[in-house]
Amino acid sequence: MSRTFIFILLMLLPLTSRSQTVEWEGVVYEIDTTIGEAKVVKVTNITQKEYPIQESFVLGGHTYPVTSIGAEVFKDCWNMESLAIPKYVVNIGLPMFPYTLENPHRLLSSIEVDPDNPKYDSRNGCNALIETGTNTLLAGCSKTVIPNTATTIAKHAFTGLKELKSLSLPNSITKIEDYAFTYTFYLTDVKFSDSLTFIGDYAFYRSGLNTIELPNTLKHIGDFAFCFCGNSLTLPDSMDYIGKGAFSSTYISSAEFPRRVKSIREWTFYKCYRLTSVTVPETVDSIDEGAFMGSERLSDVTIQGSSLQSIGQSAFKDCEKLSNVNVPNSVKEICDSAFLRCTNLRRVNLPPGLTEIPDKTFSFTGLDSVFIPNSVKRIGKSAFDGCFF
């Protein structure tokens, strides 16, 4: 897997400096002669398929084990097919494989950790880098089989893997961190763990995931977690929090929010072109900025109960098919452009506690009549421009 390299020529170099730099087979090491260790700091050829990391160096009669790999050292090594971690490496900077716009695909198919490594392992031939003490999967590859002892999938663990098409998360997995599966374009099928409680920001952003069927244990979905993926969605009642943009630009057709969620945050369903119906439960007290903006087929919005307090800026802007909205009497605020260009909106009931109709709130809708309650003190510019009354 790895080997000790003896630098005969380097024995002629002075050893008074604190560190020396060595390149071997496309990998650059910094040897710190003070602490007696070596670190992988960069690579010089990003087109290689393998980067054999040395176990140690012998320099001037002293042995310097390779103990560290710097963060993002391999970020541009998209042709890398295999990675072997030697036994002395106990410090790996994360993320190892962050996403870069220059080349969004990785070909990595094999990860192996020396069995004598005290901090990391690839247990049971799982083809993954796992931190032993925390059971955290730090880096995976297209042939990873997640062991049923892993509990967390770390940031960027599977980012950009071209050949990753399906994955089963064992029930031991409770947390998926930020960017874990970002830009896995061909990942169409994920079986989620029945113990999963947390999905981080951008976790499946621009993956190829079709069906988003989430377990009843899930509490948290981060910002933009499923943006640009998904054809169908099942949200469990266990949910406490859904981040902004979580399902924006997906292809889901309907959504029923969990009863414990308190707000529909910014851009949650922004430009969901196939979304036709949404049920807002009685627990929701705000629909935030741009929550449904640009969902042009959205025609049926059911708001249950009387907890809703505010409808944010551009919340339903450009929802062209929206024809009727039952705004409950509990609403105290409707922000500017909330229903701008809802061209099929014929009727809307304005709640009696409303004090202002801001700029462009109902501009270019299909409203043919509206009753303005006595509580309204201000009507903003162009609030009803282009309406039919």
Side-chain angles (χ1 to χ4, degrees):
M1 179 195 297
S2 56
R3 52 191 183 273
T4 299
F5 195 81
I6 303 174
F7 281 90
I8 302 298
L9 293 177
L10 288 178
M11 293 177 66
L12 302 177
L13 297 176
L15 295 179
T16 55
S17 62
R18 185 177 184 275
S19 64
Q20 299 188 38
T21 300
V22 174
E23 179 182 349
W24 182 251
E25 295 188 351
V27 181
V28 178
Y29 303 82
E30 184 178 89
I31 300 175
D32 191 318
T33 57
T34 302
I35 63 174
E37 297 176 358
K39 177 181 180 179
V40 178
V41 292
K42 67 178 181 179
V43 298
T44 57
N45 183 358
I46 64 172
T47 64
Q48 292 179 201
K49 294 184 177 181
E50 296 182 6
Y51 296 86
I53 300 174
Q54 301 304 306
E55 188 174 279
S56 59
F57 292 92
V58 175
L59 175 62
H62 298 277
T63 299
Y64 299 93
V66 178
T67 61
S68 302
I69 300 174
E72 303 188 11
V73 166
F74 300 109
K75 72 174 183 178
D76 296 316
C77 300
W78 298 96
N79 289 321
M80 181 195 292
E81 294 181 354
S82 63
L83 177 65
I85 306 296
K87 65 181 179 181
Y88 297 124
V89 172
V90 292
N91 184 15
I92 297 177
L94 299 176
M96 292 191 74
F97 305 106
Y99 173 79
T100 63
L101 289 172
E102 289 76 12
N103 193 335
H105 292 140
R106 289 196 292 122
L107 299 176
L108 189 64
S109 60
S110 173
I111 298 177
E112 181 184 357
V113 181
D114 190 293
D116 292 327
N117 190 296
K119 185 173 181 179
Y120 305 108
D121 69 80
S122 51
R123 63 192 68 169
N124 303 321
C126 65
N127 264 314
L129 171 65
I130 296 176
E131 189 175 54
T132 306
T134 63
N135 291 313
T136 299
L137 193 152
L138 302 177
C141 66
S142 60
K143 293 185 178 179
T144 293
V145 177
I146 301 176
N148 58 13
T149 48
T151 59
T152 301
I153 298 176
K155 292 181 179 180
H156 295 281
F158 291 89
T159 296
L161 283 169
K162 183 177 181 180
E163 300 299 325
L164 185 66
K165 297 178 180 178
S166 65
L167 197 64
S168 180
L169 306 184
N171 288 339
S172 58
I173 296 292
T174 61
K175 185 177 184 180
I176 299 173
E177 293 187 344
D178 303 348
Y179 303 95
F181 295 92
T182 300
Y183 289 98
T184 50
F185 294 110
Y186 303 99
L187 178 64
T188 59
D189 180 37
V190 173
K191 181 185 181 298
F192 287 96
S193 161
D194 285 339
S195 302
L196 188 65
T197 62
F198 182 96
I199 295 175
D201 298 347
Y202 295 88
F204 291 90
Y205 180 87
R206 285 195 181 274
S207 70
L209 198 62
N210 286 321
T211 301
I212 305 172
E213 189 169 350
L214 301 169
N216 289 324
T217 52
L218 191 64
K219 304 289 186 184
H220 179 106
I221 295 177
D223 296 347
F224 300 99
F226 293 96
C227 184
F228 291 108
C229 68
N231 290 320
S232 65
L233 172 66
T234 302
L235 288 170
D237 278 339
S238 57
M239 293 292 309
D240 289 328
Y241 179 87
I242 297 175
K244 63 185 179 183
F247 304 104
S248 57
S249 299
T250 58
Y251 294 98
I252 60 176
S253 59
S254 64
E256 183 169 349
F257 261 65
R259 290 189 292 271
R260 297 170 65 176
V261 172
K262 300 300 183 184
S263 67
I264 300 178
R265 299 201 64 211
E266 301 99 312
W267 315 300
T268 300
F269 292 99
Y270 172 73
K271 286 191 175 180
C272 290
Y273 297 113
R274 296 181 183 175
L275 186 66
T276 60
S277 65
V278 170
T279 300
V280 179
E282 61 275 10
T283 53
V284 169
D285 57 26
S286 68
I287 298 175
D288 295 341
E289 179 181 352
F292 299 96
M293 179 178 170
S295 295
E296 57 191 33
R297 297 186 185 180
L298 182 62
S299 59
D300 182 16
V301 176
T302 302
I303 301 174
Q304 299 176 334
S306 57
S307 297
L308 190 65
Q309 298 288 311
S310 66
I311 297 176
Q313 179 180 348
S314 303
F316 294 95
K317 179 181 176 181
D318 293 324
C319 292
E320 298 174 0
K321 298 293 184 182
L322 191 62
S323 60
N324 184 49
V325 179
N326 61 314
V327 181
N329 290 341
S330 56
V331 170
K332 300 295 189 294
E333 178 185 42
I334 299 178
C335 297
D336 61 281
S337 306
F339 296 93
L340 177 63
R341 289 194 294 272
C342 292
T343 52
N344 278 286
L345 184 62
R346 296 289 182 263
R347 293 177 181 83
V348 63
N349 57 301
L350 296 180
L354 200 65
T355 59
E356 180 181 9
I357 302 175
D359 300 350
K360 300 181 181 179
T361 304
F362 295 100
S363 287
F364 301 101
T365 61
L367 286 178
D368 52 23
S369 65
V370 64
F371 175 77
I372 300 175
N374 292 330
S375 57
V376 171
K377 305 301 182 185
R378 177 183 178 272
I379 297 177
K381 294 179 181 179
S382 307
F384 295 97
D385 271 13
C387 294
F388 297 110
F389 58 85

